[in-house]
Amino acid sequence: MIQGRIHSIETFGSVDGPGTRFIIFVQGCNMRCLYCHNVDTWKCGQGGQLKTADELLDQAERYRPYWGPEGGITVSGGEPLLQMDFLLDLFRKAKARGIGTCIDTAGQPFTRKEPFFSQFQELMEVTDILLLDVKHIDPEAHKKLTGQPNDNILDLFRYLSEIKKPIWVRQVLVPGWTDDPGSLQRTREFLDTLSNIQRVEVLPYHNMGLYKWEQLGIPNKLKDVKPPTQEEVDKARKILGAV
C-alpha cells in the first residue's frame, strides 16, 4: 500500500492553479529558501501524517461541487517530486475519477537520469498543469537564496516546454534579493524561449511565515526585509510580462 507523508490540507484554494482546488501539502523538501513560509515541511521522512491516495481523494470529493469546470486537486509542499511513487498513484487514481491534477513544485529533484526520469514522464501523462517558481535566474544568487543549484531546475522548464505541458510561472519578489531589473530581464529572456507558459505571476514577498522560523529556532536572514512596494511589484510585472 502506497502512502504519502502529508503535512496539511487546504480545502478551498483559489490561487494554486485553475479554478477552486483541494490543496495537499506534502512533507519534505531539500531546498532552504530564505523566504519559505512552510519551513515546518522541510524535514524528509518524518512529521506529517501517512495517507493513501484513496483516503485523500475521498476527502477531496466532498468539495467537488465547489470546484467548477477548471478546479481539482493541487499537490504542493514541501516538494511533491520527492514522493514520486505516491504522486503517481494519487494522480492516476484522480484521473480515473475525472479529477483535474496540478503540481506546485520548485523542481529541485528533477533530473533526466534514471530511474527518476521515466517516473516523471509517466507522471506528466496524468498531470494537467504545473506551477513553477523562478527562484533566481543567476546560479550563484540562486544557491545563496535556496541552498541548491538551478541548472536542473531550468532544464525542467525546458523539458516541460518540449512536451508542451502547460505551466504557470511564479516569481517571488524579495527586495534586495530577487528584484534586480537586470536579473528580471534575464529571467524574461529565458521565459521567452519557452512555448508552454499560460501565465506569469509576481508574488510580493511577505513575512507571515516568519513565526514558524522563530518557533523552530532557525535564523532568518530576511527577518528585517520589508515587502516590496506596489510600484516595485508593477515594475517587475512589466519586465516579466506578468499578469
Side-chain angles (χ1 to χ4, degrees):
M1 179 173 59
I2 300 174
Q3 293 179 306
R5 192 168 289 276
I6 309 304
H7 174 267
S8 56
I9 298 291
E10 182 180 336
T11 54
F12 289 97
S14 59
V15 295
D16 297 278
T20 302
R21 309 192 73 86
F22 183 87
I23 318 297
I24 300 165
F25 295 92
V26 298
Q27 183 76 23
C29 185
N30 291 331
M31 299 186 87
R32 295 295 180 261
C33 300
L34 298 182
Y35 55 77
C36 181
H37 57 272
N38 285 331
V39 293
D40 47 341
T41 68
W42 281 357
K43 289 184 178 179
C44 297
Q46 56 181 294
Q49 291 183 305
L50 293 175
K51 296 274 190 179
T52 66
D54 288 318
E55 286 175 324
L56 290 165
L57 292 172
D58 286 347
Q59 183 179 354
E61 293 233 50
R62 299 175 201 164
Y63 305 94
R64 191 167 187 162
Y66 305 99
W67 291 349
E70 292 188 318
I73 63 170
T74 295
V75 182
S76 185
E79 175 49 66
L81 298 183
L82 290 176
Q83 300 191 44
M84 287 290 285
D85 290 341
F86 166 72
L87 199 53
L88 263 170
D89 188 48
L90 177 67
F91 276 20
R92 283 170 177 158
K93 289 177 176 176
K95 298 311 289 185
R97 298 186 187 208
I99 295 174
T101 55
C102 174
I103 303 172
D104 184 358
T105 174
Q108 182 274 329
F110 180 77
T111 176
R112 299 201 192 210
K113 296 179 181 178
E114 298 296 348
F116 179 92
F117 192 51
S118 291
Q119 277 196 309
F120 187 78
Q121 289 176 306
E122 292 177 28
L123 179 62
M124 289 303 96
E125 293 176 4
V126 287
T127 300
D128 296 321
I129 190 169
L130 296 92
L131 312 182
L132 289 168
D133 285 59
V134 177
K135 307 294 186 181
H136 207 294
I137 196 68
D138 180 79
E140 289 305 314
H142 188 278
K143 208 161 190 177
K144 289 178 182 177
L145 187 65
T146 72
Q148 296 286 346
N150 70 348
D151 54 330
N152 64 313
I153 295 171
L154 297 180
D155 191 38
L156 170 60
F157 277 87
R158 296 186 192 99
Y159 175 70
L160 293 173
S161 180
E162 289 170 16
I163 65 171
K164 303 186 182 338
K165 182 61 62 176
I167 62 172
W168 287 9
V169 178
R170 292 168 158 184
Q171 170 74 68
V172 179
L173 195 67
V174 185
W177 288 83
T178 66
D179 60 344
D180 170 61
S183 296
L184 291 172
Q185 182 59 42
R186 286 175 57 198
T187 300
R188 172 64 183 270
E189 290 168 2
F190 172 73
L191 296 179
D192 283 345
T193 68
L194 309 176
S195 61
N196 59 330
I197 298 175
Q198 288 194 343
R199 65 190 292 168
V200 179
E201 299 176 324
V202 173
L203 307 181
Y205 164 75
H206 63 75
N207 56 14
M208 289 186 287
L210 187 58
Y211 74 95
K212 295 182 181 180
W213 291 72
E214 295 170 348
Q215 287 177 348
L216 294 171
I218 305 173
N220 186 294
K221 293 181 180 180
L222 304 185
K223 64 180 180 180
D224 296 321
V225 174
K226 303 298 182 185
T229 65
Q230 187 60 51
E231 182 180 357
E232 290 168 332
V233 172
D234 290 343
K235 183 178 180 180
R237 283 180 176 149
K238 184 176 181 181
I239 294 173
L240 292 173
V243 294

